[in-house]
Amino acid sequence: MVAPSMDVLVALCKRRGFIYPSSSVYGGLAGMYDYGPLGVELKNNLKNAWWQSMVHDRDDVDGLDSCIMMDQTVLKYSGHESTFTDPLVDCRECKMRMRADFIENNQCIGCKSTNLTEARDFNLMFSTSIGPIASSENKAYLRPETAQGIFMNFKNVLDSQSRKLPFGIAQIGKAFRNEITPRNFIFRVREFEQMELEFFVSPGDDESWHQYWIDTRYQWWQDQGLSPKRLTKAEQTADDLAHYAKRTVDLLYTFPHGPDEIEGIANRTDYDLGSHTKEQDQLNIQAKVSENQHATQRLAIKNLETNAWQVPYVIEPSCGVDRGLLAILSEAYEEEELENGSTRIVLKLKPHLAPIKVAVIPIAKNNEQILNMTQKILKILKAHIPGKILLENTGNIGKAYRRHDEIGTPFCVTIDFDTISAEDATHPGTLTIRDRDSMTQTRVSIADLVPTLIKMNTLPQDCPA
Ligand code: ATP
């Protein structure tokens, strides 16, 4: 299967209402995208699948939703103020700015000149100020990762939920990075969403838990439809490792622009909780706070046997929703040659991710009896199938099938004259279920509609009914 080009995906996303450039009425903002009616459904389905597997299906993880704006001291002591930078160079000829590690042969990406400035560090965090008067005292940042909000709430969750090691805190939310060169559609953007788990373990148990999460996350992406042929694990070299990491394995997906990171799984050691705890110690010493009060501020756990404070190690699987969505769209996109010589575009999305679960199509758009029956079927489906059920009343079934193939709707249900002409229990009204992938059409009675869809929708391919 050949992967689609990025241009093909961008065009499909705009045409069908998945993703649009942001602020486009006034020319657009580089590195920002808005999600349209289908994009938001797909995104929510992906986030729900992650939340289900990380929080609801587990007994050792709690969820969190922390603020996007963060106090500058948090990001000072996390190391982000000093080290969350990319190397920036300017082209003296065309004035283009670019990341030094993205250029080849010391040539400008735009005009190919080699007349470039020396690389200098550029901090990726967006800053703002809280309150009416901007000053260095009330400076705040839009968080560059959701993780710091989790570390700030470590103690709150530990105490309120009576947790013991190992346990995790999961969060989905927006993150912001002032990328020097946003590119490759929604792959590298300035405003994006992350799905992050911080899993706290005893030092010494960190390596085996790290391996566990690498394998678990690799499998999860396959469960979302990504083929293992395009998904690889890549060990970061010592030069690549972030300032906090002991070991990091990236999951790379072969995007239309080539293999690139979809998720990083890092062993952050006790770096974050340790730095915040050290800072708390300093502040408490300066303020002459007693040992009792002092201890409550530490982002640590008391070892009941030794009575010593222990800072847990942290394993962090961190992925981008937008990159995940791009990978899923890229993997699902297919162009099929049909027997009549035409080409069918189809998004073979896993049903749990599909923006629309079922499209209901009446055969005649102005027939009152058919429309009444359509409303009845819609009501039945909405009561039993979670997710978006859509009425497609265009009167052109062929066109509706093509549209729903292109947006990945797994099933279309067609209401026709046999649906309304039920005579008795032995000749009940029937309707057609059309399967997106095989294009087969199955006639079922109205009573069998929901059980048939549930069976088709949820059972894995190789699972006997
Ligand atoms: P890269 O090296 O590609 O800049 P990173 O290693 O800095 O990424 P992390 O800090 O590990 O990324 O962030 C975790 C995840 O957040 C990434 O795997 C990615 O899916 C997502 N992510 C990071 N930066 C961006 C961005 N600018 N646009 C979209 N997603 C991003």
Side-chain angles (χ1 to χ4, degrees), residues 89 98-109 112-114 116 183:
V89 292
M98 61 214 101
R99 256 175 81 163
D101 51 340
F102 283 178
I103 60 176
E104 284 169 11
N105 307 324
N106 198 36
Q107 271 189 331
C108 169
I109 293 174
K112 307 290 175 213
S113 161
T114 52
L116 307 179
R183 57 183 183 173

Side-chain angles (χ1 to χ4, degrees), residues 84 99 145 177 179 186-190 192 194 196 236 244 260-264 318-320 322-323:
F84 199 64
R99 256 175 81 163
E145 57 176 21
R177 296 183 188 179
E179 295 280 352
I186 51 170
F187 178 83
R188 185 173 301 286
V189 281
R190 290 179 169 137
F192 55 99
Q194 287 185 315
E196 293 196 301
Q236 281 195 8
Y244 47 71
D260 222 330
E261 178 183 330
I262 187 172
E263 173 156 350
S318 165
C319 61
D322 312 74
R323 287 188 189 180

Side-chain angles (χ1 to χ4, degrees), residues 71-341:
D71 188 294
Q72 59 178 318
T73 40
V74 174
L75 292 152
K76 179 175 173 188
Y77 293 108
S78 67
H80 284 81
E81 270 196 341
S82 52
T83 59
F84 199 64
T85 56
D86 276 335
L88 167 74
V89 292
D90 291 277
C91 173
R92 290 198 183 89
E93 303 297 331
C94 73
K95 311 293 175 218
M96 188 171 177
R97 295 198 144 157
M98 61 214 101
R99 256 175 81 163
D101 51 340
F102 283 178
I103 60 176
E104 284 169 11
N105 307 324
N106 198 36
Q107 271 189 331
C108 169
I109 293 174
C111 71
K112 307 290 175 213
S113 161
T114 52
N115 189 6
L116 307 179
T117 61
E118 285 294 304
R120 60 191 188 284
D121 284 341
F122 173 77
N123 195 295
L124 300 184
M125 288 194 294
F126 284 99
S127 65
T128 183
S129 48
I130 311 283
I133 299 163
S135 80
S136 57
E137 250 98 86
N138 60 12
K139 186 172 168 187
Y141 291 108
L142 301 190
R143 63 184 178 198
E145 57 176 21
T146 65
Q148 294 305 322
I150 297 181
F151 298 135
M152 288 299 102
N153 284 286
F154 167 76
K155 236 2 205 164
N156 293 334
V157 176
L158 179 79
D159 294 343
S160 64
Q161 308 304 305
S162 307
R163 284 291 184 185
K164 289 194 194 76
L165 296 181
F167 80 99
I169 305 178
Q171 173 159 235
I172 300 176
K174 291 267 183 176
F176 301 81
R177 296 183 188 179
N178 198 0
E179 295 280 352
I180 297 167
T181 344
R183 57 183 183 173
N184 294 322
F185 192 29
I186 51 170
F187 178 83
R188 185 173 301 286
V189 281
R190 290 179 169 137
E191 173 174 340
F192 55 99
E193 264 185 288
Q194 287 185 315
M195 305 190 282
E196 293 196 301
L197 170 72
E198 304 302 325
F199 198 76
F200 303 100
V201 300
S202 295
D205 292 346
D206 53 311
E207 290 180 9
S208 54
W209 273 112
H210 191 199
Q211 194 54 48
Y212 164 85
W213 280 112
I214 294 165
D215 298 338
T216 303
R217 298 300 304 149
Y218 183 67
Q219 181 56 48
W220 186 82
W221 282 111
Q222 290 177 56
D223 297 342
Q224 308 318 305
L226 301 191
S227 145
K229 284 192 205 120
R230 295 190 182 141
L231 196 63
T232 51
K233 297 176 193 164
E235 193 81 37
Q236 281 195 8
T237 63
D239 284 349
D240 293 336
L241 283 179
H243 60 277
Y244 47 71
K246 169 173 160 186
R247 179 188 172 211
T248 297
V249 170
D250 289 335
L251 301 183
L252 307 185
Y253 179 74
T254 308
F255 288 97
H257 65 275
D260 222 330
E261 178 183 330
I262 187 172
E263 173 156 350
I265 302 134
N267 182 344
R268 287 178 86 124
T269 68
D270 58 358
Y271 179 87
D272 299 271
L273 294 184
S275 334
H276 293 304
T277 297
K278 264 186 241 145
E279 174 52 19
Q280 288 298 318
D281 283 351
Q282 282 308 317
L283 292 175
N284 286 319
I285 290 163
Q286 280 161 22
K288 299 190 175 53
V289 177
S290 74
E291 169 64 18
N292 261 355
Q293 290 166 298
H294 181 152
T296 60
Q297 296 293 319
R298 284 181 172 147
L299 303 186
I301 291 181
K302 200 154 206 177
N303 184 321
L304 295 177
E305 281 163 25
T306 61
N307 213 25
W309 287 97
Q310 183 185 48
V311 179
Y313 268 38
V314 180
I315 308 301
E316 176 195 72
S318 165
C319 61
V321 179
D322 312 74
R323 287 188 189 180
L325 206 129
L326 183 60
I328 282 162
L329 284 173
S330 170
E331 181 86 37
Y333 183 95
E334 280 182 27
E335 287 180 13
E336 288 177 359
E337 300 300 325
L338 300 181
E339 275 171 13
N340 65 8

